[in-house]
């Protein structure tokens, strides 16, 4: 079901732009009602269980399909002037994703989620893309990006970053197990660094006081 829904979303985005918004609203309206509960149930799961020890298990494949759906929902957001809750939930409840990344889930899942976060921080609405402005103008996207930035910066103040592996082996941020560039996954390293930098940048541009910026 997850795979089918993601595939339909992707196909809809490839169709004629004139009809895309209308089709998306019809497709996503019933999903919007139930998706937040579904999101919570999947991402609050106990990922330390034996079902997730293998990157090839059914449970792992189901989670990969769910991440593909989240990615499709993010991509579909640009077609609607006012995004639906199911298209915003990844930003508003990104702390769930951050918790999964730091769990003992297989590395392939962690990497997929980190690259999804990278797409989130680089996302721009059609209006913002057209304006060419460095700063986001769309109110709903500003609100969502601020929620994401706050959540990312909150875990950065803890030991979250030190729990993130940089490869399928035991090479971590702040670890001396492997010299930089030897076994580490440069794609993940760049993506995580970009997520942190963008979160800091957005927070600074949207802070009211100098004290808050500091």
């Amino acid at each position: 079901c997850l795979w089918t829904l993601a595939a339909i979303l992707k196909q809809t985005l490839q169709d004629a732009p004139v009809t895309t918004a209308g089709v998306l609203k019809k497709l996503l309206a019933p999903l919007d009602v139930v998706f937040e509960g579904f999101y919570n149930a999947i991402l609050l799961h106990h990922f330390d269980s034996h079902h997730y020890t293998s990157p090839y298990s059914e449970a792992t494949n189901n989670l990969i399909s769910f991440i593909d759906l989240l990615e499709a929902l993010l991509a579909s957001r640009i077609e609607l002037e006012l995004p639906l809750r199911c298209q915003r939930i990844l930003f508003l409840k990104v702390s769930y994703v951050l918790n999964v990344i730091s769990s003992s889930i297989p590395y392939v899942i962690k990497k997929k989620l980190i690259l999804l976060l990278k797409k989130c921080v680089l996302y721009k609405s059609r209006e913002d893309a057209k304006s060419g402005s460095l700063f986001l103008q769309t109110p709903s996207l500003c609100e969502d990006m601020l929620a994401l930035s706050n959540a990312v910066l909150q875990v950065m103040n803890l030991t979250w970053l030190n729990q993130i592996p940089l490869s399928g082996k035991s090479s971590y941020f702040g670890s001396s197990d492997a010299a930089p560039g030897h076994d580490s996954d440069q794609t993940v390293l760049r993506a995580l660094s970009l997520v942190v930098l963008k979160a800091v940048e957005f927070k600074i541009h949207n802070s009211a006081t100098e004290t808050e910026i500091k």
Side-chain angles (χ1 to χ4, degrees):
C1 288
L2 290 168
W3 184 91
T4 303
L5 188 53
I8 291 170
L9 269 173
K10 289 173 185 174
Q11 183 58 51
T12 304
L13 294 174
Q14 292 172 10
D15 291 342
V18 182
T19 59
T20 301
V23 173
L24 279 175
K25 281 182 182 176
K26 284 182 183 177
L27 179 64
L28 296 179
L31 180 70
D32 205 44
V33 181
V34 297
F35 191 72
E36 186 168 354
F38 189 54
Y39 179 94
N40 295 348
I42 286 187
L43 296 184
L44 278 178
H45 194 67
H46 295 293
F47 293 108
D48 297 330
S49 76
H50 66 280
H51 297 296
Y52 294 92
T53 50
S54 167
Y56 308 106
S57 69
E58 185 182 354
T60 302
N61 281 329
N62 288 342
L63 192 53
I64 287 173
S65 293
F66 183 64
I67 297 168
D68 287 340
L69 177 57
L70 289 176
E71 195 171 333
L73 285 168
L74 176 65
S76 71
R77 179 176 175 147
I78 200 167
E79 298 297 336
L80 299 183
E81 193 173 330
L82 291 172
L84 297 169
R85 178 82 178 174
C86 64
Q87 294 171 305
R88 302 180 63 191
I89 198 70
L90 180 57
F91 292 84
L92 300 175
K93 291 194 167 182
V94 73
S95 58
Y96 290 36
V97 169
L98 297 172
N99 288 338
V100 175
I101 292 171
S102 62
S103 73
S104 60
I105 204 87
Y107 180 72
V108 63
I109 301 282
K110 293 176 188 274
K111 181 172 182 175
K112 202 166 175 64
L113 284 171
I114 288 167
L115 294 178
L116 180 59
L117 287 182
K118 176 188 168 185
K119 288 184 178 180
C120 286
V121 298
L122 292 177
Y123 177 81
K124 280 191 174 183
S125 68
R126 190 162 280 156
E127 292 75 18
D128 287 322
K130 281 179 183 174
S131 72
S133 171
L134 293 175
F135 310 115
L136 300 176
Q137 311 295 323
T138 313
S140 61
L141 185 54
C142 278
E143 183 186 333
D144 293 357
M145 204 65 84
L146 190 57
L148 185 145
S149 298
N150 284 335
V152 168
L153 294 176
Q154 194 173 353
V155 295
M156 290 305 146
N157 281 330
L158 305 173
T159 57
W160 184 84
L161 205 55
N162 292 333
Q163 300 170 50
I164 311 304
L166 295 179
S167 72
K169 300 176 182 177
S170 56
S171 172
Y172 291 79
F173 265 97
S175 162
S176 57
D177 291 346
H182 283 219
D183 291 327
S184 58
D185 187 329
Q186 298 300 307
T187 304
V188 169
L189 181 59
R190 285 194 299 269
L192 262 179
S193 301
L194 183 65
V195 169
V196 177
L197 287 170
K198 283 289 185 183
V200 171
E201 178 188 41
F202 194 80
K203 182 67 176 171
I204 287 173
H205 288 314
N206 290 273
S207 295
T209 64
E210 192 176 336
T211 307
E212 197 177 6
I213 291 172
K214 285 179 180 178

